Amino acid sequence: MSLTLATLIPGLLLILLGVPLVLNHSGYTAMLKAFPRSTAAAYLFFGAGAAWFLYAIWNLSPADFGEYRTYLFIGFLIVAVLSFKCVPDFLAVRGLAAVVLMGAMPLLQAAYMEYDKPQRLLMVSIVYLALSGAIVLGAQPWRLRDFFSWLFAQPSRARGIGGALAAYGVVLSIVAFTY
């Protein structure tokens, strides 16, 4: 993946997350409030995160426990399938965390050793912030529900955070074309 694309993707995602918050779109607000316990979102995000992780397990090199990949694959597949039955609460949040964790690697690899391009740090910073959030939410997924309750308690909070997300997304989208 090129550094331009690796910077443009988070920029566009931030714009897509921020603009509906700025516009105070009621459908978007309802969707965000329902997201943590949504069964459809759980199937989408946890399914995508599990599939991506299992793909990575299946393609392990011999130096990375590749000779045990079949056992690892089967073990993690069983855990993923049983997650839908045994821990369905907040599975969408855990799935989103898995997608963020898996998606960060190609973005960070694109910026690796690109020391002559300091503007890459704008992308890397937001990716590390997302990684930190994914780790916290993976361990304590109910915090996303609590965050949404706090966020939508006052419309100015949602607009302010949405504006900040959209503005940073615009900055990243512009920076993507400066490499």
Side-chain angles (χ1 to χ4, degrees):
M1 175 182 299
S2 71
L3 187 55
T4 299
L5 186 60
T7 306
L8 190 60
I9 289 171
L12 294 176
L13 284 174
L14 288 173
I15 292 170
L16 286 173
L17 288 172
V19 168
L21 288 174
V22 171
L23 298 176
N24 200 17
H25 191 273
S26 61
Y28 188 68
T29 301
M31 182 190 70
L32 286 179
K33 285 181 179 179
F35 174 78
R37 291 186 184 259
S38 170
T39 305
Y43 282 113
L44 176 69
F45 285 104
F46 196 82
W52 197 348
F53 182 74
L54 290 171
Y55 175 79
I57 292 289
W58 191 253
N59 290 303
L60 285 175
S61 69
D64 297 321
F65 299 105
E67 62 268 6
Y68 304 110
R69 71 176 172 207
T70 304
Y71 304 113
L72 290 170
F73 184 89
I74 291 169
F76 282 113
L77 179 64
I78 291 169
V79 168
V81 170
L82 288 177
S83 295
F84 287 100
K85 179 170 175 40
C86 299
V87 285
D89 276 351
F90 300 108
L91 201 56
V93 180
R94 289 186 173 103
L96 179 62
V99 169
V100 169
L101 291 170
M102 293 303 294
M105 187 174 179
L107 298 176
L108 294 174
Q109 280 181 338
Y112 183 66
M113 301 285 288
E114 295 287 344
Y115 301 122
D116 57 333
K117 299 170 182 158
Q119 64 270 36
R120 81 190 186 293
L121 296 175
L122 291 169
M123 180 271 292
V124 170
S125 299
I126 197 69
V127 170
Y128 278 122
L129 188 63
L131 279 171
S132 300
I135 290 169
V136 169
L137 291 176
Q140 300 173 340
W142 60 88
R143 297 223 184 250
L144 187 63
R145 177 200 58 202
D146 296 344
F147 172 73
F148 286 151
S149 296
W150 172 84
L151 180 67
F152 296 116
Q154 295 179 4
S156 61
R157 287 181 189 159
R159 286 194 171 147
I161 289 179
L165 290 174
Y168 201 79
V170 168
V171 168
L172 281 180
S173 298
I174 292 169
V175 165
F177 296 104
T178 64
Y179 299 120

